[in-house]
Amino acid sequence: MLFRREFKRNLRSLIIWSIIIAGIILMYLSIFPSMAKEQANMDNLVNAVPEGMQKAFGMDRLSLGTLLGFYGIEIHLMTTLLGSIYAALLASGIIAKEQNEKTAEFLLALPISRRTIIAQKGLAVLANVLLFNFVIVVSSLIGFQFASDQDLPYKAFFLLELAVLMMHLTFAGIAFLFSAVARRTRSIVSVSLGTVFVMYFLSVVAGISERLSWLKYVSPFKYADSAQILTESRFHPLYAVIMGVVIAGCFLSAYWYYSKKDIAV
């Protein structure tokens, strides 16, 4: 089964990235109790940061002295940025590597349709991203035990992780479409990663500048804004709809295009 083949081919990458993100989460959460004891000093440190930077990273609404505030400021950046990089690398390579590794001819010679090939590759991307986010959630819940004396609003936490999952799937969908459409396979990874970094830059700009706040509708990073979700215990329905449309649109477009694409073998 092609899905099993693709999953096994990407399993090593999934394990490595999962170990990295779990290690970062547990390391950061392990030092939270000692930092919470110095809340006054931490608040003074945050107040010394320029106001624009405070808004960009949610420091104006979250406190480093609370568990979810610390999570939203320190750890959320890692899970969103690193997770998006992983999703983009995974999705951009899963189609292109057939041509890079000269295996496209073998794959297309199998008694399965192109639509089956692209559908099962898409399912492999979805499975990997879901498992990666499962590791994020489990690692976070384990790490929260370092500060078991603090109350944890689970609703806000799971809404935040839902937003992060949808953001990862958004970048995966965009990279998957790039991979299906592109003729020059060597440029796919760089374009996909470039998209992640540009979107992150736009989210920072949208947070710093009131005049450019409209950029938040362009970047998925602002859709998964930790300050908004954690303080309001609400994942904005508009953002969920936009990401859902982009995810579905990208995967369906890749499915349609690949089934008609002239593939050089």
Side-chain angles (χ1 to χ4, degrees):
M1 184 179 179
L2 183 59
F3 171 81
R4 189 181 300 114
R5 169 180 175 268
E6 290 298 334
F7 186 81
K8 287 182 178 179
R9 289 178 72 180
N10 292 283
L11 182 58
R12 181 181 178 185
S13 175
L14 173 62
I15 292 173
I16 292 173
W17 277 90
S18 296
I19 290 174
I20 291 172
I21 199 68
I24 290 173
I25 292 171
L26 293 173
M27 180 184 69
Y28 270 77
L29 288 175
S30 68
I31 65 174
F32 168 73
S34 59
M35 293 186 66
K37 294 178 182 177
E38 303 292 332
Q39 182 173 356
N41 293 332
M42 295 304 300
D43 289 340
N44 291 334
L45 182 63
V46 169
N47 291 333
V49 176
E51 183 179 352
M53 295 300 293
Q54 291 185 35
K55 291 181 179 179
F57 295 99
M59 297 178 184
D60 59 327
R61 288 175 286 172
L62 298 175
S63 171
L64 286 170
T66 64
L67 183 55
L68 275 192
F70 178 83
Y71 187 93
I73 295 173
E74 297 289 346
I75 301 175
H76 181 68
L77 172 61
M78 301 296 179
T79 59
T80 52
L81 185 56
L82 292 181
S84 297
I85 292 172
Y86 167 71
L89 287 173
L90 169 71
S92 62
I94 203 165
I95 299 175
K97 66 185 177 186
E98 301 295 350
Q99 289 178 253
N100 291 337
E101 298 174 4
K102 309 300 182 183
T103 56
E105 184 175 5
F106 166 76
L107 185 62
L108 294 174
L110 295 175
I112 53 176
S113 67
R114 286 192 185 189
R115 292 183 177 182
T116 300
I117 292 172
I118 192 67
Q120 296 205 19
K121 282 179 175 286
L123 288 174
V125 170
L126 176 62
N128 277 268
V129 173
L130 286 173
L131 285 172
F132 181 76
N133 278 267
F134 177 75
V135 170
I136 291 176
V137 172
V138 172
S139 301
S140 300
L141 292 175
I142 293 173
F144 289 151
Q145 302 310 306
F146 289 115
S148 56
D149 58 317
Q150 291 214 8
D151 293 330
L152 179 66
Y154 284 100
K155 177 184 177 181
F157 169 72
F158 283 113
L159 283 175
L160 179 64
E161 295 311 314
L162 174 61
V164 172
L165 169 61
M166 292 193 68
M167 191 189 72
H168 291 167
L169 288 174
T170 298
F171 283 113
I174 294 171
F176 193 68
L177 179 58
F178 284 161
S179 188
V181 171
R183 296 287 180 180
R184 298 178 57 189
T185 58
R186 293 181 180 179
S187 63
I188 297 172
V189 172
S190 58
V191 170
S192 299
L193 290 180
T195 301
V196 172
F197 290 120
V198 167
M199 291 299 177
Y200 175 70
F201 174 74
L202 292 179
S203 74
V204 173
V205 172
I208 293 176
S209 173
E210 291 287 342
R211 191 162 52 90
L212 297 175
S213 61
W214 57 271
L215 288 173
K216 68 183 180 181
Y217 294 109
V218 178
S219 173
F221 282 96
K222 291 303 291 184
Y223 298 169
D225 181 57
S226 60
Q228 181 262 315
I229 295 174
L230 294 179
T231 55
E232 300 177 12
S233 293
R234 178 174 177 263
F235 179 23
H236 202 299
L238 175 61
Y239 298 161
V241 169
I242 292 174
M243 287 195 285
V245 169
V246 172
I247 293 166
C250 286
F251 278 101
L252 289 174
S253 296
Y255 176 85
W256 175 83
Y257 190 88
Y258 188 84
S259 65
K260 300 177 180 298
K261 182 180 180 181
D262 181 18
I263 300 175
V265 295

